Amino acid sequence: RSPASPLRMSSARDSMQAVTAGACFCFCSVGMMFFNKMAIQAFPLECILVAMQMAFAALVLLTFGWSSLHFGSLIDVLRWFMVLPFFTGMLLTSILALKNAPMSLSITLRALSPLGSLLVERFYPDPLRITPAVIMSIVVTVVGAAVYCSSLEKEAMAGVGWVVLNSLIATGDRLVCRLLLAKDQCPVDLSKTACTLISNAGGVIPLTIAAYCKGEFSALPAVLATLTPWDSLFILLTCVIGLGISYSGIWAQSLISATSFLVMINANKFFIIGIEAFGLHTKVLTKTQVAGASLTLI
């Protein structure tokens, strides 16, 4: 065997891990967007809903994942705290975007996220290499998003602000996670379950305070009284899938760049657009919007 064989085996193993982690994240992402859309319609208290999802993830990890938790030092924990505002903000604005805008609009505009991450990652300790193919794919994505938005109905425009804000915060979250997770950047000495636990547990308190300030606890009894068994199931599924997407997101981000991660998310767009247009029948896509959404998938 040549001396390079162990290196090739390690590279192949890392590639397989990246594919597996990416596939898990995309699967959870489709489910999370679908069930979040159903949950927020039945339970329109966004701060409480996201706080419940994060508390569920933290409780499950503390109960069943205790043996896998590893905290290198207090400094590592404090460094990971940089992720908290981005992660919490990303979840909350995602719910608000789904509450106020069609799913197809959310996912199409998010296709612009790799633009920002591409520029920032050029300044990382191990900069991302930019190829003509990468630039061309992003240009086509931008054109597709512009075509899609050109024929938006007036009522859908009300949610554009939340979608744009969510895209910005999500990009920041991916960039910080990449910096703190990748072995070739500035990694923290924390296990993936520990990172997932801190991200979720750390967001519960500020979201609970925000829910109180917004008066959501006053409205809670009336909302609970109107919930059907199906509504409760949708809410439970968002909690379960939320744990999956939190962990698989950290797993995938430790293996690929933030830009690659954001581009990878585009892979689930076709399924979500299809679910909204042909499954839920909550959105009728025009030919122009179909063309624009298709461009972002290329």
Side-chain angles (χ1 to χ4, degrees):
R1 293 180 181 274
S2 67
S5 292
L7 293 176
R8 286 198 296 269
M9 289 176 63
S10 176
S11 177
R13 190 162 51 246
D14 288 346
S15 298
M16 183 57 66
Q17 269 200 64
V19 170
T20 304
C24 290
F25 181 85
C26 286
F27 178 79
C28 290
S29 179
V30 172
M32 193 64 175
M33 182 164 280
F34 173 73
F35 289 115
N36 260 345
K37 184 71 173 180
M38 305 299 288
I40 195 61
Q41 290 174 348
F43 191 87
L45 307 174
E46 54 272 2
C47 293
I48 293 179
L49 178 59
V50 176
M52 287 194 303
Q53 293 169 351
M54 300 178 87
F56 176 88
L59 183 60
V60 169
L61 288 171
L62 286 173
T63 305
F64 301 104
W66 183 262
S67 60
S68 65
L69 295 175
H70 168 73
F71 303 91
S73 69
L74 179 60
I75 297 297
D76 290 309
V77 173
L78 293 176
R79 287 182 64 204
W80 189 258
F81 270 31
M82 289 191 296
V83 175
L84 291 184
F86 291 102
F87 183 72
T88 305
M90 178 179 65
L91 295 186
L92 183 57
T93 54
S94 176
I95 285 286
L96 289 167
L98 289 173
K99 185 178 181 180
N100 296 282
M103 288 192 295
S104 51
L105 172 63
S106 298
I107 58 179
T108 302
L109 288 187
R110 284 174 186 170
L112 304 179
S113 299
L115 264 179
S117 63
L118 186 67
L119 295 174
V120 174
E121 284 194 290
R122 291 294 299 163
F123 299 96
Y124 274 24
D126 185 16
L128 180 67
R129 287 178 292 181
I130 300 176
T131 64
V134 170
I135 295 175
M136 181 58 66
S137 66
I138 292 178
V139 168
V140 172
T141 296
V142 172
V143 172
V147 170
Y148 180 93
C149 292
S150 67
S151 61
L152 275 178
E153 304 87 349
K154 185 178 294 185
E155 55 269 21
M157 294 299 293
V160 169
W162 288 118
V163 176
V164 172
L165 181 59
N166 175 252
S167 299
L168 291 173
I169 296 176
T171 301
D173 176 72
R174 293 300 106 201
L175 287 166
V176 175
C177 284
R178 176 62 180 174
L179 185 65
L180 297 179
L181 289 170
K183 296 176 182 178
D184 55 355
Q185 304 295 348
C186 303
V188 292
D189 184 16
L190 300 170
S191 64
K192 296 178 182 65
T193 48
C195 292
T196 308
L197 173 62
I198 296 171
S199 295
N200 284 279
V204 174
I205 294 176
L207 282 173
T208 302
I209 295 173
Y212 176 80
C213 294
K214 286 178 81 273
E216 291 188 6
F217 287 106
S218 301
L220 184 58
V223 172
L224 290 176
T226 62
L227 290 181
T228 67
W230 281 110
D231 295 333
S232 300
L233 177 62
F234 291 144
I235 293 171
L236 176 61
L237 286 173
T238 65
C239 294
V240 175
I241 299 174
L243 172 58
I245 201 171
S246 295
Y247 180 82
S248 60
I250 287 173
W251 182 19
Q253 196 61 88
S254 68
L255 299 167
I256 60 177
S257 70
T259 301
S260 298
F261 188 99
L262 292 167
V263 171
M264 175 193 70
I265 297 174
N266 293 347
N268 64 25
K269 284 185 172 60
F270 177 80
F271 299 101
I272 297 173
I273 291 173
I275 288 172
E276 184 176 50
F278 307 111
L280 295 177
H281 301 290
T282 57
K283 171 72 176 174
V284 178
L285 297 177
T286 65
K287 292 181 180 180
T288 302
Q289 289 173 329
V290 170
S294 299
L295 274 176
T296 66
L297 294 170
I298 296 177

